[in-house]
Amino acid sequence: MARVFVYGTLKRGQPNHGVLWDRANGCAAFRGRGRTLEPYPLVIAGEHNIPWLLNLPGQGRRVLGEIYAVDERMLSFLDEFEGCPNMYQRTPLRIAVLEWEGARGAPEETPAADGTLQCFVYSTVTYAPEWVHLPHHDDYDSQGEHGLRYNPRENR
């Protein structure tokens, strides 16, 4: 099992969350909530108002999200779903655990003594230069006050 940190449309209550529970895609189990250890720019951009985590550590805000344990089949599905490696890249990041519901005991399943975990995250190094100047968010909600409604894949 791999750990994946999701910060956008895959979170609970967001438009694409259902793909995590579709057993045809593999297995995913919610483990907890966390925040990036370092700040990153989380912007909403493009014609479909997609949330993007720009791979610019040290800039932006510490981003809130959810931690999932996923099997290899789900990880492969998520790579394809996220357009990896062309749209997003899957990279390891340290995540500060805020709430933990995962298993206790097995070292690979519990946060380190400092309260952090290494998780895969989908971020991008390929973006329009002006995206860096868009408002940075710390907690994405497709229906948020930002007013930038996400355009679901089925409507494109």
Side-chain angles (χ1 to χ4, degrees):
M1 299 290 274
R3 287 186 299 265
V4 176
F5 176 76
V6 300
Y7 55 83
T9 65
L10 290 171
K11 293 190 313 184
R12 294 178 293 183
Q14 298 305 311
N16 293 322
H17 181 69
V19 303
L20 290 173
W21 302 125
D22 185 341
R23 300 291 284 177
N25 301 331
C27 180
F30 177 79
R31 292 295 186 238
R33 294 182 63 245
R35 182 185 298 273
T36 58
L37 208 52
E38 289 188 79
Y40 285 85
L42 172 58
V43 301
I44 302 169
E47 66 178 309
H48 302 295
N49 293 323
I50 295 172
W52 299 86
L53 188 73
L54 308 184
N55 195 349
L56 295 168
Q59 298 183 35
R61 299 180 181 189
R62 293 182 61 211
V63 177
L64 287 164
E66 298 172 349
I67 301 162
Y68 289 84
V70 301
D71 66 7
E72 283 299 318
R73 192 168 81 202
M74 179 62 77
L75 192 59
S76 293
F77 168 82
L78 290 173
D79 282 352
E80 184 176 324
F81 185 81
E82 297 290 4
C84 183
N86 299 323
M87 273 182 51
Y88 290 96
Q89 295 78 45
R90 176 170 40 100
T91 55
L93 277 189
R94 294 300 296 174
I95 301 298
V97 176
L98 303 175
E99 298 171 20
W100 188 249
E101 295 180 14
R104 300 262 181 217
E108 67 277 2
E109 279 291 322
T110 57
D114 65 358
T116 66
L117 279 173
Q118 185 157 303
C119 299
F120 286 122
V121 67
Y122 292 92
S123 64
T124 187
V125 292
T126 306
Y127 51 86
E130 61 270 15
W131 287 11
V132 174
H133 305 292
L134 292 172
H136 297 168
H137 304 272
D138 61 357
D139 190 11
Y140 175 79
D141 182 346
S142 63
Q143 300 294 315
E145 293 180 9
H146 49 73
L148 301 169
R149 298 295 172 254
Y150 174 74
N151 184 22
R153 291 168 179 242
E154 60 270 15
N155 295 343
R156 297 180 198 168

